[in-house]
Amino acid sequence: MPDNAAASAAASRRLLDLAVVKHFNHLTLRNGVTLAGLGRDPRDLEAFFRTALYFISDAGVLTTLEREIFEERLADFLARHARWLRASAEEVCGALFGCGLVGERGGECFWALSVEPRFAGAPQRVLEAWTHYDEARVRRRSKVRAQLQAKNRALHRPAEPVVDPELDARLMQEALRAARRAGAAGEVPVGAVLAMDGNIVSSAGNEVVSRHDPTAHAEILALRSAAAALGTERLNGAVLYVTLEPCAMCSAALSLARVARVVWGADDPGCGGMRGALNVIERARMNHRVAMTAGVLRADCERLLRDFFEARRKEQKAARSAGR
């Protein structure tokens, strides 16, 4: 057998092309397949044999190998690149000899293929191609999965809750009462009411300062109280009324609690988690989408907050003046 550069390049061209590389990459999805199963489609078997010989021969550089070294290289190929195949090195070696792809002469194995595809290159190129095909397959799967999930959500989306403007206004008045109590206690005046079928289950105002708890927002406290009263963490069908658009933390909690609808009065463009600063439920791709109604008794809710912060600024200014 010639061993010059021209002969090596010719041998390399006989072994592999990018179509075979792609075909072999698809075979890796068939975990646990046997040689007999692979042989059901001659193209699968050919792609496997070509790829095996390509790596055994160092991309066609070697045209003969001692039998022991050949078997070692074959075993290494199976361990590195064909773990998906349920076959031993002895079985694959026997198949290569049986198909006439590998022969033996003077204690050395040699190989030849009858067709000449158009690929020449180092094994690193093949590994890079496999990585490319794997990444493309992952992207396709992710895209298809996202499409199926969107379709599934559309098919199983619950019916839009019935909106009663009069009921919304009446329960927002209750939330305003809770907010005024919170403001009187020195808290930011935000109140929340959780109702089921129009009946109030829980009511709360901010208690961040009094509890020394940064999570003690009115919405969180109303959720905790309602869950404890009803004996369930899933508040299906519930409607939460709150005087200020929920923050990101509260918005996520409302989705996790499976609250059907959130009604708020004043928007919070700086920190709102429903639509003000961001829609945290959409951005986080949370499973449960909460219906939203904004602007109920907006003027009253905004006035309450504005008066509270104006009074606080006046107090702070007076305190600074007294300190002088």
Side-chain angles (χ1 to χ4, degrees), residues 39-215:
R40 293 193 183 103
D41 188 338
R43 295 170 298 179
D44 292 345
L45 202 58
E46 181 183 358
F48 171 74
F49 283 152
R50 283 182 178 279
T51 307
L53 291 176
Y54 177 84
F55 279 91
I56 291 169
S57 67
D58 286 342
V61 173
L62 305 173
T63 56
T64 61
L65 280 173
E66 292 182 3
R67 176 70 179 256
E68 183 178 349
I69 297 175
F70 175 84
E71 292 174 350
E72 288 177 358
R73 284 175 170 256
L74 175 59
D76 182 70
F77 168 78
L78 293 174
R80 287 175 179 269
H81 306 301
R83 290 190 298 269
W84 49 271
L85 182 68
R86 198 172 65 195
S88 65
E90 291 76 12
E91 290 176 290
V92 175
C93 186
L96 285 167
F97 276 88
C99 293
L101 296 174
V102 176
E104 191 171 15
R105 182 172 52 210
E108 291 187 326
C109 297
F110 64 92
W111 39 88
L113 298 171
S114 59
V115 294
E116 297 187 1
R118 302 175 299 282
F119 182 83
Q124 185 60 31
R125 282 193 61 198
V126 176
L127 298 177
E128 290 172 356
W130 284 348
T131 300
H132 168 75
Y133 293 135
D134 284 336
E135 291 173 349
R137 187 163 59 235
V138 169
R139 288 194 297 270
R140 287 196 301 272
R141 283 179 173 174
S142 297
K143 183 178 180 181
V144 170
R145 186 182 298 113
Q147 291 173 342
L148 290 175
Q149 288 174 342
K151 182 178 180 180
N152 187 56
R153 283 195 296 269
L155 288 173
H156 297 92
R157 182 176 296 162
E160 290 294 325
V162 177
V163 176
D164 183 345
E166 291 185 4
L167 178 64
D168 286 352
R170 187 165 68 251
L171 291 177
M172 187 61 75
Q173 288 286 3
E174 294 298 325
L176 278 165
R177 291 189 183 92
R180 293 188 185 100
R181 289 195 296 270
E187 303 279 355
V188 175
V190 177
V193 166
L194 189 135
M196 300 280 285
D197 298 323
N199 300 309
I200 296 176
V201 178
S202 64
S203 175
N206 273 356
E207 296 185 23
V208 173
V209 177
S210 60
R211 290 177 180 248
H212 306 296
D213 180 0
T215 69

Side-chain angles (χ1 to χ4, degrees), residues 286-320:
M286 303 186 76
N287 288 333
H288 179 68
R289 301 298 196 267
V290 180
M292 296 177 282
T293 302
V296 175
L297 301 186
R298 184 194 305 274
D300 294 338
C301 296
E302 289 178 345
R303 186 183 308 110
L304 181 62
L305 288 163
R306 184 171 57 251
D307 291 348
F308 173 82
F309 286 112
E310 284 180 357
R312 174 169 288 186
R313 283 191 292 271
K314 288 178 181 178
E315 290 173 2
Q316 291 171 346
K317 185 176 179 180
R320 285 195 298 268

Side-chain angles (χ1 to χ4, degrees), residues 232-307:
T232 177
E233 72 283 4
R234 297 292 176 87
L235 303 176
N236 297 309
V239 180
L240 184 90
Y241 297 85
V242 60
T243 56
L244 178 66
E245 178 186 354
C247 67
M249 174 185 71
C250 295
S251 299
L254 290 164
S255 175
L256 293 172
R258 302 298 194 270
V259 170
R261 187 166 69 106
V262 177
V263 182
W264 72 83
D267 289 326
D268 188 354
C271 299
M274 285 288 182
R275 70 177 189 184
L278 78 165
N279 185 330
V280 70
I281 296 173
E282 291 290 341
R283 290 292 295 275
R285 298 181 181 177
M286 303 186 76
N287 288 333
H288 179 68
R289 301 298 196 267
V290 180
M292 296 177 282
T293 302
V296 175
L297 301 186
R298 184 194 305 274
D300 294 338
C301 296
E302 289 178 345
R303 186 183 308 110
L304 181 62
L305 288 163
R306 184 171 57 251
D307 291 348

